[in-house]
Amino acid sequence: MRGQGKNLKDLPLNRDWTLFLDRDGVINKKIENDYVRNWSQFEFIEGVIEALKILRNIFGKIIIVTNQRGIGRGLMTENDLHEIHKNMLKVFELNGIHIDRIYYCPHDYEKESCDCRKPNIGLALKAKEEFPEINFRKSITVGDSLSDMEFGKSLGMLTVYINQDCSNTPNIADFCFTSLYEFAKYLENLEKIRRCQLLASMD
């Protein structure tokens, strides 16, 4: 883990907090210079299932926000994306993981103008409309691109950058972890320490 002047230990994380997750590069492996167009091409990143089990016990809401430009480019359809997400959520459900909602942007920015393609904040505003209790100041966004970090910062969220090499972390990112699993295990260990400290203070 690498931080940019902040410390996750200082965060009063509880069920009031919301976790916004990018998909490609965080949950599933990216296909370089292409898109995950169907379920047969979808591959979970190692440790993601375990990570989401941990994170589900920490955050009140988990929301996936994902750019899917392949639709706008005509390389896949929205039905293809829905099929991918239906199967992904089925795997999560079989592992006891609930995802509150998935929001996606289907547009090709070279041909269309929209407010939903990250770093624009349209997807987050949709989430806020559907879940008014979301507080962006009590939210963390996790992604593997600069646009994910800009998306989070525009809303006042804390930002977690996922990259195998944290020496190249964008300045706008608050923290860097090599994987969602590493991030989840770090938070889990913090929770264990806090519980121990609480028990010790009661003795």
Side-chain angles (χ1 to χ4, degrees), residues 69-80:
R69 186 187 174 202
I71 295 172
R73 293 185 64 189
L75 301 175
M76 57 190 291
T77 67
E78 288 198 65
N79 283 338
D80 292 329

Side-chain angles (χ1 to χ4, degrees), residues 11-164:
L11 294 182
L13 289 179
N14 57 40
R15 303 293 289 178
D16 292 335
W17 282 68
T18 300
L19 182 65
F20 286 87
L21 294 177
D22 181 39
R23 200 198 77 182
D24 301 308
V26 174
I27 293 173
N28 61 279
K29 294 182 179 179
K30 278 185 171 179
I31 299 178
E32 292 303 321
N33 302 313
D34 202 348
Y35 306 91
V36 177
R37 306 186 192 191
N38 54 61
W39 178 244
S40 67
Q41 294 179 317
F42 188 97
E43 184 178 356
F44 286 108
I45 293 172
E46 185 178 355
V48 158
I49 298 299
E50 183 59 33
L52 288 172
K53 287 180 180 180
I54 294 168
L55 296 168
R56 183 72 269 181
N57 288 328
I58 296 172
F59 291 88
K61 286 184 174 53
I62 297 180
I63 291 170
I64 295 172
V65 283
T66 175
N67 291 340
Q68 293 295 325
R69 186 187 174 202
I71 295 172
R73 293 185 64 189
L75 301 175
M76 57 190 291
T77 67
E78 288 198 65
N79 283 338
D80 292 329
L81 183 66
H82 292 321
E83 186 69 16
I84 291 169
H85 287 166
K86 182 184 77 173
N87 284 290
M88 178 182 73
L89 291 174
K90 186 174 182 180
V91 173
F92 290 159
E93 183 181 344
L94 290 172
N95 284 277
I97 300 163
H98 173 67
I99 301 297
D100 292 275
R101 199 70 79 240
I102 302 174
Y103 299 99
Y104 65 90
C105 178
H107 303 114
D108 179 359
Y109 64 86
E110 292 186 340
K111 298 185 297 186
E112 306 168 89
S113 178
C114 70
D115 67 352
C116 62
R117 180 177 172 81
K118 294 178 291 181
N120 295 323
I121 61 173
L123 298 181
L125 296 182
K126 282 185 180 180
K128 175 73 171 175
E129 183 178 345
E130 190 164 355
F131 303 101
E133 65 273 22
I134 289 176
N135 180 348
F136 294 132
R137 295 284 177 179
K138 289 186 174 182
S139 296
I140 297 177
T141 190
V142 179
D144 69 328
S145 70
L146 179 60
S147 65
D148 293 317
M149 302 299 96
E150 293 171 339
F151 163 83
K153 280 300 173 185
S154 294
L155 293 156
M157 300 185 201
L158 287 169
T159 53
V160 173
Y161 185 61
I162 299 297
N163 196 289
Q164 286 295 315

